């Protein structure tokens, strides 16, 4: 019997090797399938998270400013204007004032923009103005309205060149501060850059308690970016023009404005800028706007995260027909390209200072 097992096996036959390879390939295919499925799920979840996060951030920025529109603190009347803007266009004068508190442009760049500045085609823009960052002071002594300074009795916290509003129950003034934030007095003369101040007296003598605010003049628009996705941008005009890129991936913004027709401070209808006497210069019925409805279209930076091109109804884009690298618009219907994920975020924001 021992002779039957005297020759040990030295290797595998070709058939055995092929069977082993086939089993290995089947196992490897299963592992790859799990890996690819996990990767696709991860990419999709990442795209969803980014779109939702960007949409929430964008609507939060806009909602906060729109709610504050027209706020002037203790200032019950339009503040006395000390900024040297008489030679500027009416649009720029409006941008550096508290009225109109909100103003928009339908499918065109804001008229306050420079000739070289552009916005994304067929998107809306709006400007919101209000008094922010309020602080209360007690004047040290009697401030003569004929002098260029107002003593505050403490560090003002207002940086040089910021546009400041001073106010109490008697009156208010808007000017460009010349002192630094550590100074104990607001100063109009010396050290100002554009726009600067005119030589004028204060509206009254600031004695006792008064408040200071920083003029917030924010223009929101959609900007194209070379080599990357468009973004929501906020142009800050106090003191100088500065673009703050807020959220990347916002490819569209459409805005309608709630107009109060009968004086009850409730929106009777929502209309586009440029209609119903909502003029591009800020004149007309902008003071009757009590709310704004903003629709944002946000897309993911990741491509190929959905099985088919995403298509949905986008009522805010009704009447728009266009096509670009990111989407195709057909009169209220949008098709997102490159199998990106997209979502529309719509919010209606009431202006607090115009509520019933």
């Amino acid at each position: 019997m021992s002779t039957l097992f005297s020759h040990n096996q030295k290797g595998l036959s070709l058939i055995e090797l092929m069977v082993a390879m086939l089993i290995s390939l089947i196992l490897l295919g299963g592992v790859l399938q799990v890996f690819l499925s996990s990767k696709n799920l991860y990419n999709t979840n990442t795209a969803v998270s980014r779109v939702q996060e960007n949409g929430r951030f964008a609507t939060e920025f806009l909602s906060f400013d729109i709610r504050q529109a027209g706020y002037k603190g203790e200032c019950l009347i339009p503040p006395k204007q000390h900024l040297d803007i008489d030679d500027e266009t009416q649009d720029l004068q409006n941008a550096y004032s508290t009225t109109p508190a909100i103003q928009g442009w339908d499918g065109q760049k804001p008229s306050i923009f420079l000739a070289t500045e552009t916005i994304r085609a067929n998107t809306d823009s709006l400007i919101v103005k209000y008094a922010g960052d309020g602080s209360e002071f007690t004047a040290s002594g009697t401030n003569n309205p004929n002098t260029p300074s107002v003593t505050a009795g403490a560090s003002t916290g207002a940086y040089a060149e910021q546009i400041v509003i001073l106010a109490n129950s008697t009156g208010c003034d808007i000017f460009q501060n010349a002192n630094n934030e550590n100074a104990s007095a607001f100063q109009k003369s010396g050290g100002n850059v554009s726009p600067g101040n005119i030589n004028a007296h204060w509206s009254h003598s600031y004695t006792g308690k008064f408040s200071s605010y920083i003029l917030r003049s924010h223009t929101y628009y959609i900007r194209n970016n070379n080599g990357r996705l468009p973004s929501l941008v906020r142009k800050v005009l106090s003191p100088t023009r500065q673009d703050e890129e807020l959220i990347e991936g916002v490819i569209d913004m459409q805005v309608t404005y709630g107009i109060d027709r009968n004086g009850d401070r409730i929106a009777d209808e929502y209309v586009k800028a440029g209609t119903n006497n909502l003029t591009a210069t800020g004149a007309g019925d902008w003071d009757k706007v009590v709310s704004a409805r903003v629709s944002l279209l946000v897309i993911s930076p990741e491509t190929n995260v959905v099985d088919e091109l995403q298509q949905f109804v986008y009522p805010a884009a009704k009447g728009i027909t266009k096509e670009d690298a990111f989407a195709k618009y057909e009169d209220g219907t949008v098709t997102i390209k490159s199998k990106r994920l997209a979502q529309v975020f719509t919010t209606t924001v009431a202006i607090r200072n115009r509520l019933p």
Side-chain angles (χ1 to χ4, degrees), residues 23 40 55 61 72 107 112 151 210 243-244 265 291 295 339:
I23 295 174
N40 291 338
F61 277 116
K72 301 191 295 293
I112 64 171
T151 61
F210 67 93
D243 281 347
E244 299 176 345
R265 297 195 174 192
S291 58
S295 292
K339 294 186 178 180

Side-chain angles (χ1 to χ4, degrees), residues 31-49:
V31 171
L32 288 176
Q33 184 64 38
V34 172
F35 172 77
L36 292 176
S37 298
S38 299
K39 182 181 178 182
N40 291 338
L41 181 61
Y42 173 80
N43 289 340
T44 301
N45 289 338
T46 299
V48 171
S49 299

Side-chain angles (χ1 to χ4, degrees), residues 262-275:
N262 54 16
D264 61 358
R265 297 195 174 192
I266 297 176
D268 297 304
E269 62 176 325
Y270 282 86
V271 299
K272 296 289 287 184
T275 67

Side-chain angles (χ1 to χ4, degrees), residues 108-260:
Q108 57 181 326
K109 76 175 184 179
S111 47
I112 64 171
F113 275 28
L114 301 175
T116 55
E117 296 178 301
T118 60
I119 68 170
R120 183 167 166 77
N122 300 109
T123 62
D124 292 353
S125 308
L126 77 156
I127 186 171
V128 179
K129 295 165 287 181
Y130 61 92
D133 302 315
S135 300
E136 188 174 89
F137 300 96
T138 300
S140 54
T142 300
N143 288 305
N144 190 326
N146 300 336
T147 62
S149 63
V150 172
T151 61
S155 298
T156 65
Y159 291 90
E161 303 173 6
Q162 279 190 317
I163 309 302
V164 176
I165 300 173
L166 296 186
N168 60 18
S169 56
T170 303
C172 44
D173 298 80
I174 183 171
F175 66 100
Q176 188 172 31
N177 186 43
N179 281 345
N180 62 44
E181 67 277 14
N182 298 317
S184 59
F186 296 97
Q187 177 68 249
K188 283 196 301 178
S189 63
N192 292 125
V193 298
S194 179
N197 298 306
I198 59 175
N199 184 17
H201 297 164
W202 300 106
S203 61
H204 64 287
S205 177
Y206 285 92
T207 60
K209 293 187 179 300
F210 67 93
S211 299
S212 76
Y213 305 89
I214 305 301
L215 174 67
R216 298 303 181 191
S217 182
H218 296 160
T219 304
Y220 287 88
Y221 69 100
I222 306 299
R223 182 185 69 191
N224 285 320
N225 299 307
N226 292 329
R228 57 190 181 94
L229 298 180
S231 54
L232 175 67
V233 179
R234 179 171 67 184
K235 182 179 291 296
V236 179
L237 294 184
S238 176
T240 57
R241 295 171 180 264
Q242 297 181 20
D243 281 347
E244 299 176 345
E245 183 175 356
L246 302 178
I247 305 295
E248 188 180 49
V250 182
I251 66 170
D252 192 22
M253 177 169 67
Q254 301 294 325
V255 187
T256 55
Y257 302 90
I259 294 185
D260 170 24

Side-chain angles (χ1 to χ4, degrees), residues 324-342:
D324 57 32
F326 305 107
K328 181 179 180 180
Y329 290 68
E330 293 180 305
D331 193 23
T333 300
V334 178
T335 302
I336 305 301
K337 295 186 174 181
S338 302
K339 294 186 178 180
R340 298 178 188 270
L341 189 70

